[in-house]
Amino acid sequence: MVLNYIFVAFFLIAFVVGLFRFILLGDVEVFPAMMNSTFETSKTAFEISLGLTGVLSLWLGIMKIGEKGGVVNVIARLLSPVFCKLFPDIPKGHPVTGSIFMNIAANMLGLDNAATPLGLKAMQQMQELNPKKDTATNPMIMFLVLNTSGLTLIPITIMVYRAQMGAAQPTDVFIPILLATFFATLAGIIITCLYQRINLFNRTLMLTLGGMCVAVAGIIWGFSQLDKDMMNTTSTMVANILLMTIICGFIVAGVRKKVNVYDAFIEGAKEGFQTAVRIIPYLVAILVGIGVFRASGAMDALIDGMRWGVTACGIDADWVGAMPTALMKPLSGSGARGMMVDAMTTYGADSFIGRLSCIFQGSTDTTFYILAVYFGSVGIRYTRHAVACGLLADLAGVISAIIIAYMFFG
């Protein structure tokens, strides 16, 4: 239902803004631009789904081997004390716990191509436990928020963009991004627990969240001791070694369990292909709405109005110039990336706005894209409090990013 309102709002707001620009400003290009965006974004949505087909088939095939080889069950048992608290509606030791963990681990390493199929696998397993197939369950919503809050330990792509844009020290946003994304994730967990009446003060959760804080602090300190080249080399090497270890470990586990590894892989790969086809309509709907909204100039009007309001309140408005990235990030990852590059091009990679836009890009993930893909893959229509929790986590990330940017670069 929420997606329905958002989809309608995109088009109606875009039409009103376009009509205003056409009648009062004489902008004869606005409606052609809006129509062109519908064709371009629908094509993009199909290309994304097509590009996901191979990756989905690969990783769901590997996950099927791991599932039949018992690896996922082992991970589920190890994580059950914590996940039983965050996901109380999932039966203890259920294989979905392992899938959730693998998805979160891939997201933390910035392995988007690996994280998406693992996340879709987790959603399919949670759907099997869902008594109302068209309504999101509490575990689905908690899982979605963990994804949308976008905890990333190695934001390599952002540092690469900064290097390409001529930043003197491309890695200078590394620690700020880690801090902002961690606070966004922490806020997302707390907000969702409050919505779902999960006790935050039990010993297991307190120790886990405290341990996460210590671990993040240690990782931040360790990487901060490395120079740019060593940081990029080390993080890339760790990510690739981890991926190959997972793949080979699953295959070895399957062989030990006397599983027909090839047949298991084919079985999972078929599921990946079917999933990629199913998500095409959902992606087309959400991306076309975003494209029209952007092409109409509604986003520019929103930023100008925000700058005027902030200035009128006597508040420093330096951060407003980076807000297109923050506002676009929940809607479109590629759109937000374009906004980030535009900010560095316009203001300079080492400017306050250029750096803040990079922190925005790394602090959260694409809420509506994830919602459309993950819920769409299992046919969820009623999202309940998923959007509210995801957007509140995004808001926490934006506020944290602004404060941290002023601390480091203001």
Side-chain angles (χ1 to χ4, degrees):
M1 189 62 68
V2 174
L3 283 177
N4 174 58
Y5 294 142
I6 292 170
F7 182 74
V8 172
F10 277 145
F11 279 92
L12 292 183
I13 293 173
F15 180 77
V16 171
V17 172
L19 203 61
F20 173 84
R21 291 177 58 184
F22 178 74
I23 295 175
L24 299 182
L25 303 180
D27 186 353
V28 297
E29 298 295 330
V30 60
F31 281 104
M34 291 167 63
M35 286 307 303
N36 287 338
S37 73
T38 63
F39 295 111
E40 292 173 1
T41 51
S42 59
K43 179 182 176 182
T44 299
F46 177 77
E47 289 173 347
I48 290 173
S49 298
L50 191 63
L52 279 175
T53 303
V55 180
L56 280 169
S57 298
L58 168 64
W59 280 98
L60 290 186
I62 295 296
M63 284 296 292
K64 182 62 70 173
I65 295 172
E67 181 181 330
K68 292 191 173 184
V71 176
V72 175
N73 289 329
V74 171
I75 295 173
R77 286 196 296 270
L78 291 174
L79 295 174
S80 61
V82 175
F83 278 58
C84 282
K85 304 300 181 183
L86 287 178
F87 300 90
D89 295 337
I90 293 180
K92 188 175 181 180
H94 193 279
V96 69
T97 307
S99 299
I100 291 172
F101 172 77
M102 298 294 289
N103 166 264
I104 293 172
N107 274 324
M108 291 171 69
L109 293 172
L111 306 173
D112 296 336
N113 288 338
T116 299
L118 294 170
L120 291 172
K121 178 67 174 180
M123 288 296 292
Q124 291 169 356
Q125 291 172 321
M126 284 186 280
Q127 180 71 338
E128 294 173 2
L129 302 172
N130 187 1
K132 291 185 177 182
K133 299 302 183 183
D134 62 348
T135 303
T137 61
N138 283 349
M140 287 179 175
I141 294 172
M142 176 64 78
F143 178 66
L144 183 91
V145 172
L146 289 175
N147 273 268
T148 60
S149 57
L151 179 61
T152 303
L153 299 180
I154 310 175
I156 285 296
T157 55
I158 295 175
M159 292 187 287
V160 169
Y161 276 113
R162 287 186 54 75
Q164 291 175 339
M165 299 302 296
Q169 184 55 264
T171 58
D172 59 5
V173 297
F174 177 65
I175 293 178
I177 287 175
L178 287 180
L179 292 173
T181 189
F182 176 71
F183 287 127
T185 301
L186 191 62
I189 292 174
I190 293 173
I191 291 166
T192 309
C193 285
L194 292 175
Y195 261 100
Q196 300 179 0
R197 302 178 185 272
I198 297 174
N199 181 17
L200 283 166
F201 297 101
N202 66 75
R203 181 181 178 184
T204 302
L205 279 182
M206 292 292 289
L207 288 175
T208 301
L209 294 179
M212 286 173 57
C213 294
V214 173
V216 168
I219 292 171
I220 290 172
W221 179 85
F223 272 98
S224 66
Q225 306 304 305
L226 305 176
D227 59 30
K228 177 194 69 175
D229 294 334
M230 183 58 69
M231 183 184 298
N232 291 343
T233 301
T234 301
S235 59
T236 302
M237 179 179 64
V238 168
N240 290 330
I241 290 175
L242 180 60
L243 276 176
M244 283 306 302
T245 301
I246 291 171
I247 293 173
C248 294
F250 279 18
I251 291 174
V252 170
V255 172
R256 288 190 60 186
K257 286 279 187 177
K258 298 182 179 180
V259 173
N260 188 320
V261 175
Y262 180 79
D263 287 347
F265 179 87
I266 296 301
E267 182 183 345
K270 288 180 180 178
E271 295 177 8
F273 180 82
Q274 294 166 359
T275 300
V277 173
R278 279 201 304 271
I279 66 176
I280 292 175
Y282 298 92
L283 274 180
V284 170
I286 197 71
L287 291 185
V288 168
I290 292 168
V292 171
F293 185 80
R294 193 188 329 167
S296 70
M299 180 67 75
D300 293 336
L302 183 63
I303 294 300
D304 291 340
M306 184 179 296
R307 180 179 288 108
W308 178 86
V310 169
T311 304
C313 293
I315 302 174
D316 179 38
D318 288 348
W319 52 274
V320 175
M323 283 304 292
T325 305
L327 294 174
M328 186 59 69
K329 190 60 191 283
L331 304 174
S332 168
S334 59
R337 188 161 52 248
M339 296 291 188
M340 176 187 70
V341 172
D342 179 70
M344 287 192 285
T345 301
T346 304
Y347 301 99
D350 290 328
S351 66
F352 178 79
I353 292 176
R355 285 169 167 151
L356 178 56
S357 65
C358 293
I359 301 174
F360 281 148
Q361 175 72 3
S363 61
T364 58
D365 213 329
T366 49
T367 298
F368 290 110
Y369 172 85
I370 291 173
L371 189 146
V373 171
Y374 282 14
F375 282 169
S377 68
V378 292
I380 294 296
R381 294 175 56 201
Y382 303 102
T383 60
R384 299 174 61 217
H385 52 277
V387 175
C389 291
L391 290 180
L392 286 172
D394 290 342
L395 178 61
V398 169
I399 294 173
S400 299
I402 293 172
I403 294 173
I404 291 167
Y406 272 104
M407 289 174 58
F408 279 81
F409 311 116

